[in-house]
Amino acid sequence: MSTLALPELANIPFVSADQLQPPAGLPTGVRVLDDFLLWRGLPQGDLSLLQGAPGTGATSLWIRIVQGVHSQNKWAAWINGDTQLFPAHLNNYKINLKKLLVVKEPKDQEQLFWLLQELITSALFEVIGCNLKDMFLKNHQLQKLKRLCRLHKVALVFVNQKASKFVNPLFSLMIHFQRDFITIQRALHRPTPFNMAGSMIHANFMHQFKNTARKLLS
Amino acid sequence: MRTLCINLKTPQESSSAEAFLLLSPRVQFRFPHFIFVDITTTQHLLGGELGCLEKALEIAGKFSADASAAIADTAPAAQMLAKWRPSHVSLRGKEQESFKGLGLDALKDLEGLSPWAQKKPVEHMIDFFHTLGVHGLEDVLNFRLNSLRERWGDFGVLLWNRLHSQDAQIISPLVPRDPLVGYGYLDDPIGSAPLLMARMKVHLDTLFARLLGLSRHAQRLDVVLHCEYSDKRYSLSIEPVSPTRDQNLFEDLLFKKLEQQVLENPIREFEISLFDVPEKIQQLDFFEPRDSSEDRWRRLISFAKQSQCEMGFLQMEASHFPEQSFRLVTDWPEDFNPRDLVERQDQALQIKSVYAKGLAESPRPSLLLEKPQPLSAAEVQKLRFVSSLPSERIESAWWQISVQDLKNRDYYFALSHQGQLLWVFKDRINSQVYLHGYFD
Amino acid sequence: MGILTNKNLPISPSRNLPAKPLPQARGFVELIGRTNFSFLQSASSPEEMVEKAMELGYNGLGVCDLNGLYGVVRGFQAAQSPSHFTTLPAAKEDFHYLIGTELTLTDETSLVLIPMNKQGYSHLCEILTLGKRQASKGFSKLSLEQIEKYNQHLLCLAIPPWSDDRYERLEKIFDNRLYLPLWRDLTWESHEFCKQGFALEEKYQAQLFVTQRPFMHSVERKPLFDVVTCILHHTTLDEAKNKLIQNGERCLKSMEDISYLWQDRLDLVEKTVEISKRVEFSLNEIRYRYPASSLPAGMTSSELLRDLTYKGAEKRYAGGIPEKVLTQIEYELNLIKDLQYEDYFLTLKEICDFATSKNILYQGRGSAANSVVCFCIGLTAIDPIQMDLLFERFISRERREPPDIDIDFEHSRREEVIQHIYEKYNERHAAMVCTVIRYRSRMSIRETAKVFGIPLAKINAMIKFMGRDGISRLLDPAVSKEFGLNPEQWKMFLALAQQLRGFPRHLGIHSGGFLITQDPITEMVPVEKATMDGRYVIQWNKDDVDCLRLMKIDVLSLGMLTCLRKCFDLLRQHKDIDLSLATLPPDEEKTYEMIGRAETVGVFQIESRAQMNTLPRMKPKNFYDLVIEIALIRPGPLQGGMVHPFLKLRQNQPTKIKYAHPKLEPILKKTLGVPIFQEQVMKMVVAVGDFSPGEADELRRVMSSAWRKQITMVGVEQRLKAGFAKNGISVEYAEQIYKTVEGFANYGFPESHSASFALLTYASCYLKCHHPDVFTCCLLNSQPMGFYAPRTIIGEAQRNGVKVAPLDVQTSDYDYTLEEKDGHFHILRVGLRSIYGLPAPLALRIEQARKTDGAFKDITDFIQRTQLPRSILLKLAAAGAFESFNTNTRELIWHLESLSLDQQSFLWGHPKEQFELGDDEDEPEHLPFESNWDRLRREYDSKGYSVEAHPISILRSYLHGKSQSLIAQRYIPYMHSDDLKRFKTKTKVRVAGLVSITQRPPTAKGMCFITLEDEFGFMNIVIHPEIYQKYRPTIYTRSLLEIQGHLEKVGGITNIRAERVLPLT
């Protein structure tokens, strides 16, 4: 019986140490967050969930990521929930409106799912943000999206206004925004939950507010 | 003069010649299935005569399966060679050499733009040559004109001229007249979308080939499906975001529409009509050449538009009120930075100031509500205002009597109970407090 | 959200009064106030800004317009002497009025400069002149280096946005005179500027201060400000979008608001008072030194004036100077000496000497006529003593107003006088006064409509519909439906249009005002280029110049002076009679008799229809009657209803004249107890209405300025009525007097003014009476002038027996000329200038050609020698100038058409078909015969009149035919003007005639007056408003009318009251 034809030992591609590095994600610009996360930013080709009442800072984190993406001249997309993305806010952040596709609120969940698939498969976008009011997707749909994201190397970020304590394993990164602090509920290979002071995230967020707020208050 | 003749073997309409406009403007169709193209001046554009030949065959492939083509000096010789010596390119000026080895029956095809009045005289001539023991076409070349004239009169003279490439036939430039319409009749009516799509694909190929030839873009594609048993008709209309010649985009959109269409009973016949517009060369941005991403983006937006889902870029507008200061556009947005209008006359200047140019830099929330949402007194009580002085006061549109919208607002920053930073305004007329956006 | 401290804040966002009262700012000065004299960039006038600042209790206000000091004087006037008639809350006594300007530099930054003292002010004027001189109108070219040269004694308020290096550069130039304005007008941009300001304060210890950067005086003006911004940007309100201002906070706010707004930095608010204290400059520091005229050796100007006066007096009063005149001269000379006005008189004397040397006729006018000194040194021609005019009217000690002498020159030669002034004083010392062109009602409607987006067609319809009675006609809402606008928008649109009225649009040149100074003019007022090249204009208009007591000279022009000078020349040349204005025989009986017959066509001032109506009733007998007659038919007396009572008194000459109050007797004695002149009303008001002289003087100023405000007039009315009531004058008499005052406000005549005009009137009447041919010839040579068209003047002359020779190329010059005909009998030869469209140089060429080498042999010779283009030849032929060559004008025109006229071909001047020998004799036959009517039509088209016959005389035969048929049907036949004398009033009349004048004076409440003319004379047609509305199109389109109505004979005047107005043919 002929021996099992094994490939020659020499030409087996052994994995070198640096290849074992985790895939580099999209840097968020917040040093604390970047150092803590595995992918030095948002996972590329994976789902992330930012939870928090509107106005607690979830969208601005996504905007900082898009800022990074646009600095490399790449595309980003955003799906509006009941509130609209306001361009006047964006032009203080060197966001290139020519490279940011905005989609009006989809009518129903099924159309949202179809839309997400189309956006991912079009392989145009590095990061896709989706603002959800309550139309949350079912697990099988999330799995399919996860597979598509991995295939097309797209970072899909859900911004959910209704925070739920249940940690869904499908999301490789979940961040919960509260009043004054931010908890990372789930991050691959990282001890979570991990709390951070809100001001660190907002250190230079809303720069118009930092000192003027003080001015207004006095 | 060099003529390319394409023999499509299956009868076609005269409009199919439009597809070959790609090769040269001088194209002429002759019933039943011959297309003559004068490529003397344009053959160098397509990579020489062989290039023309391949391109012709490739286009002809869309019209009939086994099309053949040949190139010769005159049209009759080109037609004869296309039939008897497919894909043959005769030498320039010496097309008679390529007649070697052809039988006398080839004479029947020596027609060019004007066919033989009747076939009978040709057969008589062939029989007579046979009786003379002449079987090859090159031997016929040796006969002198007078002898053919004595024997067969004008017909003889015409044949001699065509043989010796003396019959001058000019191919005039094609003037497209027929509309871009395709019609299909199904003997066995079809109900399933993929099968219907396959039958329609043939027609789509010819239509888009003609479109390519005319170098025009398709703006809209209308398909009307007639049902078998009832006179019910389904009409589908495909319109991408901007006019394009991208055939598979149209096919995908059509297929998507067909799938959504619930066919009550099978389809007996269908009509396809294509609305074309002149080509609009769109140079988007000098530093950003039209790359494939632009086509992919158009494709995406066309798909979304068809399924009633608004998608586009944010275009900033100059307006006092936040909700009117941006809109969604499907085309590239211009960048917007308002400045004073300065008129210069060799260093002397006159400034006409734009008073509200500071609005573009004022702090705006990242998320804006569709419609400002009135807050109840209790909610307002719960809010904590950053300052009792409004951060901005916007008064405008006092002249629009008819419109009832809010014209006089004082904007504040407020901190809600859950730590949300809100953008709230108080209407100074009905002193009602509204929530307008979140500093998310 | 840790960043926001959670100090609890007052919940209700509206500004309610917090528990403990906020600290109030002790004082505040608004340093950068902008008025509507920065054209189209502000919504309030200087007066409104100052009054509002006073009302709000500010410590002061700075008026800083864009690139100019246009509105500062008006603000100064409002601040210095608030009008007596408008009630104002007591302003702070030390209300500090500052002036300055906001300059836009070439690097698109702007800064405000405020002069600290007189030297600073002249530096500022220098900078402004520099900026304006290199740039065309509306532009300014200034860089920081240019300002650096003149930066001493100037406060600099740098307008944000600031950058560090900009601040350092400014600080290097201005060091402690540099301040940075901060404002909070509830826009985020102001927040950012405040942030920058505080950062600079920390880094460089910059001096900050608070302003409101006001564009308007109160919030209600925001709509008007938006409209003005749209006009500036030529867009409509909907498209303006971010060009409009964000909110209405850019206005003057109360002290509480300011203190609340700046509760955290009240020191900055009080800083403004400290800054304003650094400024000591006020506009009345501008010392005006009059250029010292060239004095003969060893004489001071007052001695020179004295001896000139006495020399003149001997000349004026040939038979010894009467005692009264001597005392008056001494009195006047002493007064002039104290007020140091000698140089002013000497300069004027110098200009008048220049005029007499150049044989330019001139005459002083206005209040100067009251002074004996002016009369003696020859500035004016009226002897004030004889007319016992009031010298105080000219120069009064307590009023301290400079003398205002206007001098009229011949309008054709006034340019020479102006050039002379420019050469003598070069533009460093002389510049013209500007006028402020404002939005009149028609233009404000058009602009506001464009801004509201009303289509152009509707705008024109609106303005046409508005006619002459201004905005009032559009006010009722029913009109809005007709123009398809909803009523509220229509109301708003009209309110804004009315507010826009009176806003300055741009600067124009005053017709004659000159400002001459000893030291360079740019030290006193900025000068800028006017649209007309070579002319420089100062940035203040004549009211500003008067208010600051600067002396200006008015160089005006009168057409009649040109005509009189030509008359004197012709008289000297033809009839060798040497006459001049001064040597005319006074009170010549025959002239007054002619005036009484109202044959005053073409005469100065009293030729209008209304005057002709009153002359027969007035029958002026002496010079003073003429003075009254001129001042009588004016809106003042007309509206006051003074004319008819005066005429009635005049006619029946009552011995005892009753006066409303014994004190009025001395004032009104000369005008039979009826106030006619402006001075009389002024004196009455002081004597009986217990006005103070200051109030009376302000009343005079209000009466003469066209842009007075409504509230001042209301104030005047109450004051007047109260005064009269106190002195027991009856209410309706007081009402009448107020109506006169209001009428005078439109156009009133002071006595001295009408006196100097009366002299010219008398001169022209005398000449018309004794030398009609000379008078008509000169009148036609100085057209366009006066009231009537050339054809009426010639018609009148023919009726006075002047022979008129038709136009003829062989004899006519460019001007009308007189030709000697058998002895002294003269014929008036029509001049080439009468032809429409014939340019003067070409006409002079004809005259030259004829003078150099004799008369023209025939038409071709004429053409070859004058080389005129074909169109001119046709015009000459049509006007009948070639009669001497070929009587049949039509054939001549046909012949001219056939000539080949390009100069090169040798066939030039000869018929083209010279060589085709075809016989063309039969050609003239087929030309249709030219009837009289066609001939007349041709002459009227070419030169506007026909010498041979009057159109109606040609139509007379046609009219006779028609009236026969009318009589057959028992209608009234046609009559001509002579018949009217025979009929008595109320008889029905049908008349036909050529329309010479149509008049619809605004004061006549819609009545329309037409003067119809036929070959025998004039007929006055009176049309009442309802008939006028019915036949309005016919009146305005037809020139030949048929009037049916009935006769009205009142006191020697015959009018026809029209019932139906029909086109004649």
Side-chain angles (χ1 to χ4, degrees), chain C residues 784-797:
Chain C
M785 197 191 69
F787 217 68
Y788 293 97
R791 73 168 175 278
T792 331
I793 295 172
I794 287 187
E796 175 81 7

Side-chain angles (χ1 to χ4, degrees), chain C residues 426-443:
Chain C
N426 72 55
E427 82 257 10
R428 290 289 293 160
H429 295 280
M432 306 210 45
V433 177
C434 83
T435 50
V436 180
I437 313 280
R438 291 169 178 276
Y439 278 99
R440 313 198 74 80
S441 55
R442 196 168 291 232
M443 188 48 150

Side-chain angles (χ1 to χ4, degrees), chain A:
Chain A
M1 218 275 285
S2 65
T3 60
L4 202 59
L6 281 173
E8 284 310 319
L9 198 60
N11 50 33
I12 292 173
F14 285 94
V15 175
S16 67
D18 54 16
Q19 277 169 342
L20 275 182
Q21 279 292 0
L26 297 174
T28 63
V30 183
R31 262 181 17 74
V32 173
L33 205 55
D34 287 353
D35 300 347
F36 175 76
L37 292 175
L38 168 71
W39 315 277
R40 320 209 57 59
L42 220 60
Q44 182 94 7
D46 225 324
L47 305 186
S48 319
L49 177 64
L50 310 179
Q51 294 179 74
T56 48
T59 318
S60 355
L61 188 60
W62 182 78
I63 286 172
R64 296 164 67 86
I65 293 161
V66 170
Q67 208 175 342
V69 161
H70 277 180
S71 55
Q72 293 136 28
N73 217 348
K74 294 236 177 43
W75 287 59
W78 171 266
I79 302 177
N80 273 331
D82 60 348
T83 54
Q84 298 171 316
L85 192 63
F86 195 27
H89 176 86
L90 299 180
N91 62 19
N92 309 340
Y93 287 92
K94 297 191 298 311
I95 300 267
N96 177 0
L97 291 179
K98 292 187 168 78
K99 289 253 183 304
L100 173 63
L101 192 73
V102 174
V103 182
K104 273 231 174 50
E105 185 181 18
K107 282 195 296 306
D108 48 30
Q109 191 183 4
E110 194 250 295
Q111 188 180 35
L112 171 65
F113 184 55
W114 173 76
L115 201 56
L116 282 173
Q117 284 171 29
E118 276 305 323
L119 288 176
I120 294 170
T121 49
S122 73
L124 269 170
F125 305 105
E126 296 300 312
V127 62
I128 299 173
C130 174
N131 190 355
L132 301 173
K133 190 162 188 326
D134 44 23
M135 289 182 297
F136 206 69
L137 297 169
K138 300 204 176 33
N139 273 356
H140 72 274
Q141 292 173 330
L142 285 177
Q143 268 162 4
K144 184 160 190 245
L145 287 177
K146 197 174 170 83
R147 237 181 300 104
L148 279 176
C149 281
R150 177 143 308 141
L151 178 64
H152 291 278
K153 289 228 156 317
V154 168
L156 181 55
V157 180
F158 289 99
V159 177
N160 193 0
Q161 292 177 1
K162 207 159 38 25
S164 72
K165 283 286 168 284
F166 157 67
V167 176
N168 183 340
L170 275 172
F171 291 101
S172 58
L173 171 67
M174 283 174 68
I175 302 178
H176 182 45
F177 290 81
Q178 271 102 11
R179 258 168 73 85
D180 295 336
F181 57 92
I182 292 146
T183 54
I184 301 179
Q185 289 162 326
R186 172 177 155 74
L188 278 187
H189 310 299
R190 284 303 178 267
T192 50
F194 170 82
N195 284 349
M196 253 182 9
S199 60
M200 272 197 266
I201 288 257
H202 309 309
N204 50 18
F205 146 69
M206 291 305 302
H207 68 285
Q208 299 95 333
F209 272 92
K210 200 146 55 52
N211 34 31
T212 40
R214 217 176 331 105
K215 180 64 58 230
L216 288 174
L217 295 180
S218 66

Side-chain angles (χ1 to χ4, degrees), chain C residues 634-900:
Chain C
R634 297 290 161 192
L638 269 176
Q639 274 181 6
M642 297 299 170
V643 180
H644 295 296
F646 176 79
L647 289 176
K648 247 198 254 59
L649 285 169
R650 174 88 187 166
Q651 260 158 355
N652 40 39
Q653 292 295 1
T655 53
K656 174 83 185 64
I657 301 165
K658 66 168 185 54
Y659 298 96
H661 190 282
K663 272 213 211 108
L664 296 182
E665 208 272 345
I667 304 169
L668 301 180
K669 178 163 57 57
K670 284 171 73 179
T671 54
L672 306 173
V674 172
I676 289 178
F677 296 111
Q678 216 172 15
E679 291 97 338
Q680 287 175 326
V681 173
M682 293 261 295
K683 284 185 211 144
M684 277 172 62
V685 146
V686 171
V688 163
D690 67 42
F691 267 48
S692 71
E695 277 169 343
D697 185 55
E698 195 198 343
L699 180 64
R700 184 181 60 74
R701 226 180 312 110
V702 160
M703 284 206 282
S704 60
S705 87
W707 290 102
R708 61 210 170 287
K709 286 202 293 296
Q710 209 44 33
I711 38 170
T712 32
M713 289 317 283
V714 164
V716 164
E717 188 171 3
Q718 284 142 16
R719 193 75 181 65
L720 207 63
K721 296 235 171 92
F724 278 154
K726 195 131 50 65
N727 285 304
I729 307 278
S730 65
V731 175
E732 83 289 341
Y733 190 71
E735 180 57 33
Q736 228 183 348
I737 294 300
Y738 173 70
K739 277 270 170 299
T740 330
V741 166
E742 210 173 27
F744 270 115
N746 296 346
Y747 194 73
F749 250 54
E751 189 171 0
S752 55
H753 196 78
S754 50
S756 35
F757 274 0
L759 190 65
L760 296 183
T761 310
Y762 174 75
S764 47
C765 289
Y766 176 84
L767 286 173
K768 180 170 183 339
C769 175
H770 294 284
H771 310 285
D773 45 6
V774 169
F775 179 74
T776 317
C777 174
C778 298
L779 197 59
L780 292 170
N781 280 341
S782 45
Q783 284 296 331
M785 197 191 69
F787 217 68
Y788 293 97
R791 73 168 175 278
T792 331
I793 295 172
I794 287 187
E796 175 81 7
Q798 279 171 331
R799 275 193 287 281
N800 288 356
V802 175
K803 287 278 166 297
V804 184
L807 181 68
D808 183 359
V809 170
Q810 295 292 19
T811 49
S812 305
D813 297 349
Y814 176 65
D815 278 339
Y816 290 76
T817 49
L818 288 179
E819 281 164 11
E820 301 277 337
K821 270 279 180 303
D822 51 49
H824 69 288
F825 189 67
H826 289 278
I827 291 189
L828 176 66
R829 171 67 67 184
V830 175
L832 290 169
R833 64 183 301 153
S834 58
I835 301 176
Y836 295 144
L838 174 63
L842 294 185
L844 290 173
R845 199 192 295 173
I846 300 174
E847 201 178 320
Q848 225 49 42
R850 189 178 66 231
K851 282 206 170 59
T852 45
D853 32 31
F856 301 104
K857 285 183 281 309
D858 61 7
I859 188 74
T860 12
D861 169 36
F862 173 82
I863 293 168
Q864 276 178 343
R865 276 165 49 191
T866 53
Q867 303 192 346
L868 293 174
R870 185 193 305 278
S871 62
I872 300 292
L873 286 177
L874 289 178
K875 278 205 177 73
L876 283 168
F882 295 133
E883 294 292 340
S884 51
F885 296 145
N886 171 348
T887 47
N888 181 339
T889 315
R890 275 227 168 123
E891 192 210 289
L892 186 63
I893 292 175
W894 185 266
H895 176 61
L896 279 174
E897 290 289 350
S898 65
L899 296 182
S900 87

Side-chain angles (χ1 to χ4, degrees), chain B residues 318 320 338 341 344-345 347 349 353-356 363 384-386 388-390 392-393 395 398-399 401 412, chain C residues 6 9 13 106 108 136 140 186 188 226 233 237-238 241-249 260 488 492:
Chain B
H320 284 187
L341 309 175
R344 279 194 183 277
Q345 264 181 10
Q347 281 182 357
L349 87 162
S353 49
V354 173
Y355 293 112
R384 291 216 315 282
F385 283 83
V386 164
S388 64
L389 210 59
E392 273 176 71
R393 172 167 296 175
E395 297 161 6
W398 46 266
W399 57 88
I401 303 286
Y412 298 87
Chain C
N6 43 30
L9 283 149
T106 43
E108 284 172 31
S136 58
S140 84
L186 299 182
W188 197 259
D226 289 350
H233 285 282
L237 278 165
D238 294 329
K241 288 199 168 55
N242 66 351
K243 294 188 177 62
L244 299 181
I245 197 158
Q246 187 175 335
N247 52 36
E249 298 306 308
Y260 177 78
E488 301 95 11
M492 193 193 305

